[in-house]
Amino acid sequence: MLGLYFDGELRLRDDLPVPEPGPGEALIKVMAAGICHTDLEIVRGYMDFKGILGHEFVGVVERSDNPQWVGKRVVGEINCSCGVCAMCIEGRARHCPQRTTLGISGRDGTFAEYVVLPLANLHLVPDTMPLYTAVFVEPLAACFRITEQVHVTPRLKVAVLGDGKLGLLAAQVMRLTGCSLVAIGRYPHKLKILDRLGIRTALEEGYRPERQFDLVVECTGRPEGFRLARELVKPAGTIVQKSTFVERVDLDISRLVVDEVQVIGSRCGPFQPAIRALMRGLINVQDLIDRRFPLEMGLQAFEYAMRDGSLKVILEMRTYPAEGLRKPGELEEEPVI
């Protein structure tokens, strides 16, 4: 099969073996997959991953030992746990010490024509959900994780740092809580997406709030983002850290202790609230789609995604011309939506 393979160098390969599903697993024909900031960090050295990249996707189950799943359109959770360790038994399977993580650690991902995942990780996608909307289920679920970890009330003053894909989604999720919200970013054209939704925005450069925030959600994808979050959070406030990156961050632990600031790491989240929010039109994702590339142009897609100011880049798989995708070999010099 065709796929994007990383082993210190990102390469497009057409000799990758189609994966074989084991007991309780499904072979999924990938329809579309989104390039995430984590994918960009991996090619810079994050997690020392080798294999097929990608973890945001929608596809169709082609083969499984449970025939009820065959032919179903699905999205999938990225953490594949053992199911028998203490963490799994306690319901914390995302932190299973034996887990593999789709396209990130120990498991090939979705930038290929096929992928294998446990049936327990799959969620059905309603037929009425547009194809490219479904690609956003996984990152939107990660934003709903924030509301699982922190009780966000309308009384709280909240800042979301970062106007990338995750920041724009996180701001929309925070809006649903009724909190006093401002989204802070670097690019006016990205912040306008939130402006149109009635979310207050501000440019990061020179930003000085009238008072500090009860909660700061850090989604910049840059080490300096945490330092800004630390400046903006008030004593006894909370920082939710969503960004991951190759570089390390220096912390003034004493100041965190004196100010009694909570720092909460936040990763993957619940899929069902994300699916419901998308189906009800509560989250705008269409404006976040920047470009669509066929998988054959995966290297160009990564090059485009690494540009400052780009938003969501989606890879289309050649196996689905019936979904309005290009047939093999029908490549455009400048793919557009």
Side-chain angles (χ1 to χ4, degrees):
M1 67 177 181
L2 188 70
L4 277 175
Y5 189 88
F6 181 74
D7 58 0
E9 176 186 359
L10 187 62
R11 293 179 289 149
L12 184 68
R13 291 177 51 179
D14 61 4
D15 62 345
L16 295 168
V18 176
E20 278 294 320
E25 294 186 329
L27 176 68
I28 303 162
K29 184 174 286 188
V30 181
M31 302 168 72
I35 297 178
C36 170
H37 179 77
T38 301
D39 301 314
L40 304 181
E41 289 296 307
I42 286 174
V43 300
R44 297 182 180 116
Y46 176 64
M47 294 295 292
D48 295 322
F49 175 72
K50 291 185 179 180
I52 300 169
L53 293 170
H55 57 275
E56 302 175 0
F57 80 101
V58 58
V60 172
V61 175
E62 188 166 281
R63 185 151 44 96
S64 169
D65 54 11
N66 184 340
Q68 293 183 349
W69 282 94
V70 176
K72 302 296 186 181
R73 192 166 64 144
V74 297
V75 292
E77 299 193 34
I78 70 174
N79 298 291
C80 303
S81 58
C82 72
V84 297
C85 70
M87 278 292 184
C88 289
I89 292 172
E90 291 172 10
R92 301 174 185 268
R94 295 175 192 145
H95 298 285
C96 168
Q98 283 80 44
R99 73 185 182 276
T100 58
T101 308
L102 185 66
I104 297 174
S105 177
R107 179 176 286 263
D108 282 333
T110 60
F111 294 161
E113 294 175 287
Y114 292 92
V115 68
V116 164
L117 270 178
L119 293 173
N121 286 51
L122 302 184
H123 295 262
L124 293 176
V125 176
D127 292 337
T128 52
M129 181 180 290
L131 176 66
Y132 302 116
T133 297
V135 172
F136 286 87
V137 170
E138 194 279 332
L140 182 58
C143 295
F144 275 103
R145 176 63 175 154
I146 301 167
T147 57
E148 285 187 328
Q149 295 173 295
V150 182
H151 182 46
V152 185
T153 71
R155 295 177 55 195
L156 295 188
K157 184 177 173 67
V158 179
V160 174
L161 301 185
D163 51 14
K165 290 85 67 178
L166 191 62
L168 296 178
L169 291 174
Q172 294 185 62
V173 170
M174 291 297 99
R175 179 185 62 156
L176 300 178
T177 69
C179 66
S180 174
L181 175 64
V182 60
I184 302 168
R186 307 171 85 183
Y187 298 97
H189 73 281
K190 294 182 180 182
L191 294 175
K192 282 181 181 178
I193 296 172
L194 300 179
D195 287 335
R196 290 193 290 269
L197 298 174
I199 296 173
R200 188 159 56 99
T201 64
L203 286 172
E204 178 183 321
E205 185 176 1
Y207 178 70
R208 293 294 180 270
E210 294 179 2
R211 63 187 181 92
Q212 292 174 305
F213 295 91
D214 303 292
L215 170 65
V216 178
V217 181
E218 200 288 300
C219 302
T220 66
R222 298 175 284 111
E224 56 267 32
F226 182 82
R227 290 190 285 271
L228 178 58
R230 185 64 192 90
E231 293 175 7
L232 295 181
V233 71
K234 72 179 186 181
T238 301
I239 297 172
V240 172
Q241 182 68 25
K242 298 297 291 187
S243 295
T244 57
F245 29 71
V246 176
E247 300 89 345
R248 294 182 179 272
V249 176
D250 291 329
L251 297 179
D252 185 346
I253 295 295
S254 296
R255 188 177 166 203
L256 285 175
V257 171
V258 170
D259 287 348
E260 295 187 326
V261 171
Q262 294 187 68
V263 179
I264 300 176
S266 183
R267 194 164 53 99
C268 303
F271 271 48
Q272 287 305 311
I275 292 172
R276 288 194 296 269
L278 290 171
M279 287 301 298
R280 295 171 183 171
L282 299 176
I283 305 294
N284 175 9
V285 296
Q286 291 304 311
D287 286 346
L288 274 62
I289 300 174
D290 197 332
R291 290 288 188 274
R292 303 198 312 258
F293 289 78
L295 180 59
E296 294 92 329
M297 294 182 68
L299 297 178
Q300 293 93 322
F302 259 76
E303 183 179 353
Y304 185 90
M306 288 182 175
R307 297 182 186 181
D308 286 342
S310 68
L311 280 170
K312 180 61 73 182
V313 174
I314 292 176
L315 293 173
E316 304 170 336
M317 307 312 167
R318 63 182 178 179
T319 50
Y320 269 82
E323 288 286 337
L325 310 184
R326 303 177 191 86
K327 296 178 180 179
E330 291 186 354
L331 307 183
E332 300 180 46
E333 290 184 3
E334 178 66 15
V336 295
I337 297 174

